[in-house]
Amino acid sequence: MKIESPPPMEYVALRQPVVVRKKTSLWHHLLRQWDLQVMVLPGIILLLVFSYLPMWGVLAAFQDYDLSRGFFGSPWIGFKHFAEVFSDPLFLPVLKNTVAISALRLIFAFPAPVFLALLLNEVQWPFFKRIVQTISYLPHFMSWVIVSGLVISSLAVDNGSVNMALLQMHVIHEPVNWLSTPEYFWSILISTGIWKEIGFGSIIYLAAIAGVDPNLYEAADIDGAGRLRRLWYVTLPGIAPVVTIFLILSVGQILNAGFEDILLLTNRGDNAILRDVSDVIDTYVYRVGLTDFRYSYGVAVGLFKSVVNVFMLVCANFMARRWGETSLW
Protein backbone atom coordinates (compact mmCIF):
# COMPACT_ATOMS: atom_id res chain seq x y z
CA MET A 1 0.00 0.00 0.00
CA LYS A 2 1.46 3.25 -1.11
CA ILE A 3 1.20 6.09 1.32
CA GLU A 4 1.17 9.49 -0.31
CA SER A 5 3.07 12.20 1.43
CA PRO A 6 1.06 15.31 2.38
CA PRO A 7 1.41 18.29 0.10
CA PRO A 8 3.79 21.02 1.16
CA MET A 9 2.43 23.83 3.29
CA GLU A 10 3.10 26.34 0.54
CA TYR A 11 0.76 24.39 -1.77
CA VAL A 12 -2.00 24.19 0.87
CA ALA A 13 -1.73 27.91 1.53
CA LEU A 14 -2.07 28.64 -2.17
CA ARG A 15 -5.17 26.46 -2.54
CA GLN A 16 -7.08 28.22 0.30
CA PRO A 17 -9.51 30.89 -0.91
CA VAL A 18 -8.39 34.41 -0.26
CA VAL A 19 -11.09 36.62 1.25
CA VAL A 20 -10.61 40.25 0.36
CA ARG A 21 -12.45 42.59 2.69
CA LYS A 22 -13.52 45.78 1.11
CA LYS A 23 -12.49 48.79 3.12
CA THR A 24 -15.38 51.02 4.04
CA SER A 25 -14.90 54.72 4.46
CA LEU A 26 -15.90 56.81 7.43
CA TRP A 27 -18.70 58.42 5.43
CA HIS A 28 -20.08 54.97 4.63
CA HIS A 29 -20.26 54.12 8.34
CA LEU A 30 -21.94 57.45 9.06
CA LEU A 31 -24.53 56.89 6.32
CA ARG A 32 -25.29 53.41 7.62
CA GLN A 33 -25.87 54.85 11.09
CA TRP A 34 -27.65 58.01 9.97
CA ASP A 35 -30.45 57.60 12.54
CA LEU A 36 -27.96 57.40 15.42
CA GLN A 37 -26.01 60.36 14.06
CA VAL A 38 -29.18 62.46 13.91
CA MET A 39 -29.81 61.68 17.58
CA VAL A 40 -26.27 62.73 18.52
CA LEU A 41 -26.22 65.83 16.30
CA PRO A 42 -28.08 68.23 18.70
CA GLY A 43 -25.63 67.38 21.49
CA ILE A 44 -22.66 67.97 19.19
CA ILE A 45 -24.06 71.33 18.06
CA LEU A 46 -24.72 72.33 21.67
CA LEU A 47 -21.16 71.38 22.61
CA LEU A 48 -19.68 73.33 19.72
CA VAL A 49 -21.75 76.46 20.30
CA PHE A 50 -21.38 76.71 24.07
CA SER A 51 -18.03 74.99 24.73
CA TYR A 52 -15.72 75.28 21.73
CA LEU A 53 -16.71 78.47 19.94
CA PRO A 54 -16.39 80.60 23.13
CA MET A 55 -12.76 79.43 23.39
CA TRP A 56 -12.04 81.99 20.68
CA GLY A 57 -12.50 84.65 23.36
CA VAL A 58 -9.32 83.46 25.12
CA LEU A 59 -7.43 85.62 22.62
CA ALA A 60 -8.68 88.71 24.48
CA ALA A 61 -6.37 87.83 27.40
CA PHE A 62 -3.38 88.60 25.15
CA GLN A 63 -4.89 91.75 23.61
CA ASP A 64 -5.93 95.19 24.65
CA TYR A 65 -9.41 94.24 23.60
CA ASP A 66 -11.75 96.89 22.27
CA LEU A 67 -15.39 96.14 21.42
CA SER A 68 -15.35 98.46 18.42
CA ARG A 69 -12.23 96.85 16.92
CA GLY A 70 -12.98 93.23 17.71
CA PHE A 71 -10.47 90.39 17.95
CA PHE A 72 -8.76 91.15 14.65
CA GLY A 73 -8.40 94.89 15.22
CA SER A 74 -7.39 94.97 18.89
CA PRO A 75 -3.63 95.32 19.50
CA TRP A 76 -1.62 92.39 20.89
CA ILE A 77 0.11 93.04 24.22
CA GLY A 78 1.28 89.54 25.20
CA PHE A 79 1.28 88.63 28.89
CA LYS A 80 0.74 92.16 30.20
CA HIS A 81 -2.65 91.38 31.77
CA PHE A 82 -1.28 88.29 33.51
CA ALA A 83 1.46 90.43 35.05
CA GLU A 84 -1.21 92.85 36.25
CA VAL A 85 -3.20 89.99 37.78
CA PHE A 86 -0.33 88.75 39.92
CA SER A 87 0.75 92.27 40.88
CA ASP A 88 -2.77 93.32 41.91
CA PRO A 89 -2.92 93.48 45.74
CA LEU A 90 -6.62 92.53 45.67
CA PHE A 91 -6.06 89.27 43.78
CA LEU A 92 -4.20 87.38 46.52
CA PRO A 93 -7.06 87.69 49.09
CA VAL A 94 -9.49 86.67 46.32
CA LEU A 95 -7.38 83.58 45.57
CA LYS A 96 -7.20 82.70 49.27
CA ASN A 97 -10.99 82.97 49.65
CA THR A 98 -11.52 80.84 46.55
CA VAL A 99 -9.21 78.05 47.71
CA ALA A 100 -10.58 78.16 51.28
CA ILE A 101 -14.24 77.94 50.21
CA SER A 102 -13.48 75.19 47.68
CA ALA A 103 -11.52 73.23 50.31
CA LEU A 104 -14.40 73.51 52.79
CA ARG A 105 -16.82 72.27 50.15
CA LEU A 106 -14.49 69.39 49.34
CA ILE A 107 -14.27 68.45 53.03
CA PHE A 108 -17.91 68.89 54.05
CA ALA A 109 -20.12 69.11 50.94
CA PHE A 110 -18.53 66.31 48.91
CA PRO A 111 -19.02 63.44 51.43
CA ALA A 112 -22.52 64.61 52.45
CA PRO A 113 -24.37 62.86 49.55
CA VAL A 114 -22.34 59.71 50.20
CA PHE A 115 -23.41 59.65 53.86
CA LEU A 116 -27.05 60.28 52.93
CA ALA A 117 -26.98 57.47 50.37
CA LEU A 118 -25.47 55.08 52.92
CA LEU A 119 -28.10 56.02 55.50
CA LEU A 120 -30.99 55.68 53.04
CA ASN A 121 -29.68 52.30 51.97
CA GLU A 122 -30.00 51.06 55.56
CA VAL A 123 -33.60 52.24 55.94
CA GLN A 124 -35.97 49.26 56.16
CA TRP A 125 -39.25 51.16 55.67
CA PRO A 126 -39.80 51.96 51.97
CA PHE A 127 -42.46 54.59 52.67
CA PHE A 128 -40.20 56.57 55.01
CA LYS A 129 -37.31 56.18 52.57
CA ARG A 130 -39.37 57.65 49.69
CA ILE A 131 -40.46 60.59 51.83
CA VAL A 132 -36.88 61.42 52.83
CA GLN A 133 -35.70 61.12 49.24
CA THR A 134 -38.46 63.39 47.94
CA ILE A 135 -37.87 66.06 50.57
CA SER A 136 -34.10 66.00 50.07
CA TYR A 137 -34.39 66.17 46.25
CA LEU A 138 -36.69 69.21 46.13
CA PRO A 139 -34.16 72.00 46.93
CA HIS A 140 -32.06 71.03 43.89
CA PHE A 141 -34.87 72.10 41.56
CA MET A 142 -35.15 75.55 43.14
CA SER A 143 -33.04 78.34 41.70
CA TRP A 144 -30.48 80.13 43.81
CA VAL A 145 -32.69 83.23 43.70
CA ILE A 146 -35.39 81.38 45.67
CA VAL A 147 -32.90 79.62 47.95
CA SER A 148 -31.05 82.83 48.77
CA GLY A 149 -34.37 84.56 49.48
CA LEU A 150 -35.31 81.79 51.92
CA VAL A 151 -31.93 82.00 53.65
CA ILE A 152 -32.02 85.80 53.90
CA SER A 153 -35.56 85.70 55.30
CA SER A 154 -34.69 82.97 57.81
CA LEU A 155 -31.59 84.80 59.04
CA ALA A 156 -33.16 88.26 59.13
CA VAL A 157 -32.71 90.33 62.26
CA ASP A 158 -36.39 91.27 62.40
CA ASN A 159 -38.75 88.29 62.55
CA GLY A 160 -36.17 85.86 61.22
CA SER A 161 -37.05 82.28 62.15
CA VAL A 162 -33.50 81.45 63.25
CA ASN A 163 -33.19 84.43 65.59
CA MET A 164 -36.69 83.87 66.96
CA ALA A 165 -35.99 80.20 67.70
CA LEU A 166 -32.65 80.95 69.35
CA LEU A 167 -34.22 83.70 71.44
CA GLN A 168 -36.98 81.34 72.59
CA MET A 169 -34.39 78.75 73.61
CA HIS A 170 -32.33 81.45 75.37
CA VAL A 171 -29.26 80.60 73.28
CA ILE A 172 -28.83 84.27 72.36
CA HIS A 173 -30.03 87.37 74.19
CA GLU A 174 -30.48 89.65 71.19
CA PRO A 175 -30.93 89.05 67.42
CA VAL A 176 -27.77 88.42 65.44
CA ASN A 177 -27.19 89.91 62.01
CA TRP A 178 -25.88 86.66 60.52
CA LEU A 179 -25.36 87.86 56.95
CA SER A 180 -23.41 90.92 58.03
CA THR A 181 -20.97 89.05 60.26
CA PRO A 182 -17.92 87.82 58.32
CA GLU A 183 -17.21 85.01 60.80
CA TYR A 184 -20.48 83.24 59.92
CA PHE A 185 -20.52 83.68 56.15
CA TRP A 186 -18.53 80.59 55.15
CA SER A 187 -20.62 78.36 57.44
CA ILE A 188 -23.86 79.76 56.00
CA LEU A 189 -22.60 79.38 52.43
CA ILE A 190 -21.39 75.78 52.83
CA SER A 191 -24.42 74.61 54.80
CA THR A 192 -26.80 76.20 52.28
CA GLY A 193 -25.03 74.45 49.41
CA ILE A 194 -25.18 71.12 51.22
CA TRP A 195 -28.90 71.52 51.93
CA LYS A 196 -29.60 72.35 48.30
CA GLU A 197 -27.61 69.57 46.60
CA ILE A 198 -27.30 66.69 49.08
CA GLY A 199 -30.46 64.90 47.97
CA PHE A 200 -29.84 65.09 44.24
CA GLY A 201 -26.19 64.13 44.66
CA SER A 202 -27.13 61.01 46.59
CA ILE A 203 -28.98 59.58 43.55
CA ILE A 204 -25.72 58.55 41.89
CA TYR A 205 -24.40 56.84 45.00
CA LEU A 206 -27.70 55.05 45.61
CA ALA A 207 -27.47 53.72 42.05
CA ALA A 208 -23.90 52.60 42.73
CA ILE A 209 -25.00 50.84 45.93
CA ALA A 210 -27.78 49.09 44.00
CA GLY A 211 -25.11 47.70 41.66
CA VAL A 212 -23.17 45.96 44.43
CA ASP A 213 -23.37 42.16 44.15
CA PRO A 214 -25.99 40.85 46.63
CA ASN A 215 -23.96 37.64 47.04
CA LEU A 216 -21.35 39.67 48.88
CA TYR A 217 -23.92 40.73 51.48
CA GLU A 218 -25.09 37.12 51.83
CA ALA A 219 -21.53 35.96 52.34
CA ALA A 220 -21.00 38.68 54.94
CA ASP A 221 -24.17 37.58 56.76
CA ILE A 222 -22.96 33.98 56.80
CA ASP A 223 -19.67 35.15 58.30
CA GLY A 224 -21.58 36.92 61.04
CA ALA A 225 -20.97 40.51 59.91
CA GLY A 226 -23.33 43.13 61.29
CA ARG A 227 -24.59 46.24 59.54
CA LEU A 228 -21.53 48.32 60.25
CA ARG A 229 -19.17 45.60 59.03
CA ARG A 230 -21.23 45.06 55.88
CA LEU A 231 -21.17 48.80 55.32
CA TRP A 232 -17.40 49.00 55.81
CA TYR A 233 -16.30 45.85 54.00
CA VAL A 234 -18.95 45.50 51.26
CA THR A 235 -20.82 48.73 50.51
CA LEU A 236 -17.97 51.21 50.69
CA PRO A 237 -15.55 49.12 48.56
CA GLY A 238 -18.39 48.58 46.08
CA ILE A 239 -18.99 52.30 45.52
CA ALA A 240 -15.33 53.33 45.88
CA PRO A 241 -14.76 53.65 42.09
CA VAL A 242 -17.72 56.03 41.73
CA VAL A 243 -16.61 58.09 44.73
CA THR A 244 -13.07 58.27 43.31
CA ILE A 245 -14.27 59.53 39.92
CA PHE A 246 -16.34 62.30 41.48
CA LEU A 247 -13.53 63.17 43.86
CA ILE A 248 -11.17 63.62 40.91
CA LEU A 249 -13.71 65.88 39.19
CA SER A 250 -14.19 67.88 42.39
CA VAL A 251 -10.44 68.42 42.79
CA GLY A 252 -10.38 69.56 39.17
CA GLN A 253 -12.77 72.38 40.12
CA ILE A 254 -10.76 73.64 43.06
CA LEU A 255 -10.95 77.24 41.84
CA ASN A 256 -14.70 77.12 41.15
CA ALA A 257 -15.90 78.34 44.52
CA GLY A 258 -19.30 79.43 43.24
CA PHE A 259 -20.85 82.51 41.73
CA GLU A 260 -24.65 82.70 41.97
CA ASP A 261 -24.86 81.65 45.60
CA ILE A 262 -22.17 84.07 46.75
CA LEU A 263 -23.46 86.93 44.61
CA LEU A 264 -27.04 86.58 45.86
CA LEU A 265 -26.18 86.03 49.52
CA THR A 266 -24.06 89.19 49.48
CA ASN A 267 -26.74 91.37 47.85
CA ARG A 268 -25.20 91.17 44.35
CA GLY A 269 -21.76 91.73 45.85
CA ASP A 270 -22.71 95.12 47.35
CA ASN A 271 -22.30 93.99 50.96
CA ALA A 272 -18.94 95.61 51.68
CA ILE A 273 -18.78 94.07 55.16
CA LEU A 274 -18.50 90.57 53.65
CA ARG A 275 -16.18 91.55 50.80
CA ASP A 276 -13.05 90.29 52.58
CA VAL A 277 -14.47 86.76 53.00
CA SER A 278 -16.90 86.48 50.07
CA ASP A 279 -14.92 87.79 47.12
CA VAL A 280 -13.84 84.82 44.97
CA ILE A 281 -12.41 84.60 41.46
CA ASP A 282 -15.79 84.44 39.71
CA THR A 283 -17.23 87.43 41.56
CA TYR A 284 -13.93 89.26 41.09
CA VAL A 285 -14.08 88.68 37.32
CA TYR A 286 -17.71 89.83 37.28
CA ARG A 287 -16.91 93.01 39.18
CA VAL A 288 -13.63 93.93 37.49
CA GLY A 289 -14.14 92.47 34.02
CA LEU A 290 -17.78 93.32 33.33
CA THR A 291 -18.71 96.09 35.73
CA ASP A 292 -15.46 98.03 35.21
CA PHE A 293 -15.31 97.11 31.47
CA ARG A 294 -11.82 95.56 31.78
CA TYR A 295 -12.63 92.69 29.46
CA SER A 296 -9.10 91.54 28.70
CA TYR A 297 -8.15 91.57 32.36
CA GLY A 298 -11.20 89.50 33.26
CA VAL A 299 -10.43 86.97 30.50
CA ALA A 300 -6.84 86.69 31.78
CA VAL A 301 -8.08 85.87 35.28
CA GLY A 302 -10.53 83.32 33.90
CA LEU A 303 -7.82 81.69 31.78
CA PHE A 304 -5.56 81.44 34.83
CA LYS A 305 -8.37 79.73 36.74
CA SER A 306 -8.97 77.25 33.92
CA VAL A 307 -5.28 76.35 33.63
CA VAL A 308 -5.00 75.72 37.38
CA ASN A 309 -8.17 73.58 37.34
CA VAL A 310 -6.83 71.45 34.48
CA PHE A 311 -3.51 71.05 36.28
CA MET A 312 -5.25 69.93 39.47
CA LEU A 313 -7.43 67.51 37.49
CA VAL A 314 -4.36 65.90 35.90
CA CYS A 315 -2.60 65.65 39.26
CA ALA A 316 -5.66 64.12 40.97
CA ASN A 317 -6.08 61.60 38.16
CA PHE A 318 -2.38 60.69 38.32
CA MET A 319 -2.53 60.06 42.07
CA ALA A 320 -5.74 58.02 41.74
CA ARG A 321 -4.22 55.90 38.97
CA ARG A 322 -0.99 55.36 40.90
CA TRP A 323 -2.46 54.57 44.32
CA GLY A 324 -5.76 53.06 43.27
CA GLU A 325 -7.49 51.13 40.52
CA THR A 326 -9.85 53.86 39.24
CA SER A 327 -9.04 56.95 37.19
CA LEU A 328 -10.48 59.02 34.39
CA TRP A 329 -7.81 57.95 31.92
Side-chain angles (χ1 to χ4, degrees):
M1 181 176 177
K2 185 178 179 180
I3 301 176
E4 296 182 358
S5 61
M9 296 302 295
E10 293 82 357
Y11 180 73
V12 175
L14 290 175
R15 291 183 60 184
Q16 291 179 350
V18 179
V19 179
V20 179
R21 293 184 179 179
K22 186 179 179 180
K23 293 183 177 180
T24 55
S25 63
L26 176 62
W27 292 109
H28 182 70
H29 284 293
L30 294 178
L31 289 176
R32 288 180 59 186
Q33 302 174 351
W34 66 269
D35 49 348
L36 299 178
Q37 305 302 328
V38 171
M39 293 176 60
V40 176
L41 188 60
I44 295 176
I45 294 176
L46 192 70
L47 189 67
L48 290 174
V49 172
F50 292 99
S51 297
Y52 284 93
L53 288 181
M55 292 178 65
W56 184 263
V58 172
L59 296 176
F62 307 96
Q63 295 177 326
D64 190 6
Y65 181 72
D66 189 358
L67 283 174
S68 60
R69 297 181 179 181
F71 291 109
F72 297 101
S74 300
W76 294 87
I77 58 175
F79 292 91
K80 178 181 177 181
H81 293 300
F82 293 95
E84 292 178 357
V85 169
F86 296 111
S87 61
D88 188 357
L90 297 177
F91 182 71
L92 185 58
V94 168
L95 184 61
K96 290 181 179 179
N97 290 336
T98 304
V99 174
I101 293 175
S102 297
L104 289 174
R105 282 182 171 161
L106 197 63
I107 295 172
F108 296 103
F110 176 78
V114 182
F115 290 150
L116 179 61
L118 294 174
L119 292 175
L120 289 176
N121 185 60
E122 297 297 327
V123 174
Q124 301 296 325
W125 302 328
F127 179 73
F128 178 75
K129 182 177 181 179
R130 288 196 295 268
I131 291 178
V132 173
Q133 286 178 320
T134 304
I135 294 175
S136 61
Y137 294 167
L138 285 178
H140 171 79
F141 299 99
M142 295 189 297
S143 67
W144 269 110
V145 177
I146 299 176
V147 173
S148 63
L150 291 174
V151 173
I152 292 173
S153 299
S154 301
L155 299 179
V157 177
D158 300 328
N159 299 324
S161 59
V162 174
N163 278 319
M164 293 176 64
L166 294 178
L167 286 172
Q168 291 293 330
M169 293 185 293
H170 303 286
V171 177
I172 58 176
H173 301 288
E174 58 182 10
V176 178
N177 194 350
W178 301 97
L179 287 176
S180 292
T181 307
E183 291 80 6
Y184 301 135
F185 179 74
W186 286 357
S187 301
I188 296 171
L189 179 66
I190 302 302
S191 58
T192 303
I194 293 175
W195 173 76
K196 186 176 185 298
E197 299 295 340
I198 185 174
F200 192 79
S202 64
I203 296 176
I204 300 173
Y205 301 109
L206 283 172
I209 293 173
V212 178
D213 189 358
N215 294 325
L216 298 176
Y217 291 104
E218 295 178 2
D221 288 335
I222 295 174
D223 292 338
R227 283 192 174 186
L228 290 179
R229 288 187 176 274
R230 291 199 304 266
L231 175 67
W232 186 259
Y233 291 105
V234 179
T235 307
L236 284 178
I239 66 173
V242 178
V243 176
T244 302
I245 292 296
F246 280 92
L247 180 60
I248 294 172
L249 295 175
S250 299
V251 173
Q253 298 180 5
I254 193 67
L255 292 187
N256 291 340
F259 176 69
E260 290 182 341
D261 48 354
I262 296 176
L263 196 69
L264 293 170
L265 289 176
T266 57
N267 191 20
R268 293 174 298 177
D270 295 334
N271 193 338
I273 299 176
L274 298 176
R275 180 68 58 82
D276 292 338
V277 295
S278 66
D279 204 12
V280 296
I281 289 181
D282 290 331
T283 58
Y284 179 73
V285 170
Y286 169 76
R287 187 179 69 255
V288 176
L290 295 179
T291 307
D292 297 342
F293 303 104
R294 298 174 63 185
Y295 301 116
S296 296
Y297 183 85
V299 173
V301 177
L303 182 58
F304 164 75
K305 184 188 77 169
S306 300
V307 170
V308 173
N309 283 340
V310 171
F311 174 76
M312 294 299 297
L313 177 66
V314 173
C315 292
N317 186 78
F318 173 77
M319 290 186 292
R321 184 177 57 190
R322 183 174 182 180
W323 296 331
E325 299 179 355
T326 305
S327 62
L328 291 176
W329 65 84

